[in-house]
Amino acid sequence: MAVLGVRVRLGGNATTDDVRALKTWLEREEPLEALLSGRHLRIEEQSGTDGTPGRLGPDLQLVLTILGDVVTVAALTEYTARAVKTWTNNRSRLQGGDPEPQIRPLDPDGE
């Protein structure tokens, strides 16, 4: 079964606290919260400290746990992008700096 979802990567200046705060933020965003409560989505934290060249920093990965289609992944990507943008704006206003988030759909093998 292919893994469908979205990966959110924060830049190298992001902290573990940033990852946790963003995860909490995403869990409370209305469209994502509905998917989580329906057990159609899970949010996993992945450490960005594995030494992989080109790796930007801490990862937050959203993975759909059910079969979906491109529209479902596109919608998840859109929901996630909006939520991350709002979180980034709030974080920048309160703490300064920019965690430089990158958002992209996962490949069919979950990468």
Side-chain angles (χ1 to χ4, degrees), residues 16-18 20 31 41 43 57 68 71 73 77-78 95 97 101 110-111:
T16 302
D17 288 340
D18 287 328
R20 288 187 186 126
L41 178 73
I43 299 176
V71 174
V73 174
T77 303
E78 181 182 332
Q95 296 179 328
E111 294 298 318

Side-chain angles (χ1 to χ4, degrees), residues 18 25 83-99:
D18 287 328
W25 185 276
V84 170
K85 181 178 179 178
T86 303
W87 175 82
T88 300
N89 290 340
N90 283 332
R91 181 195 176 276
S92 295
R93 192 176 70 239
L94 297 172
Q95 296 179 328
D98 182 1

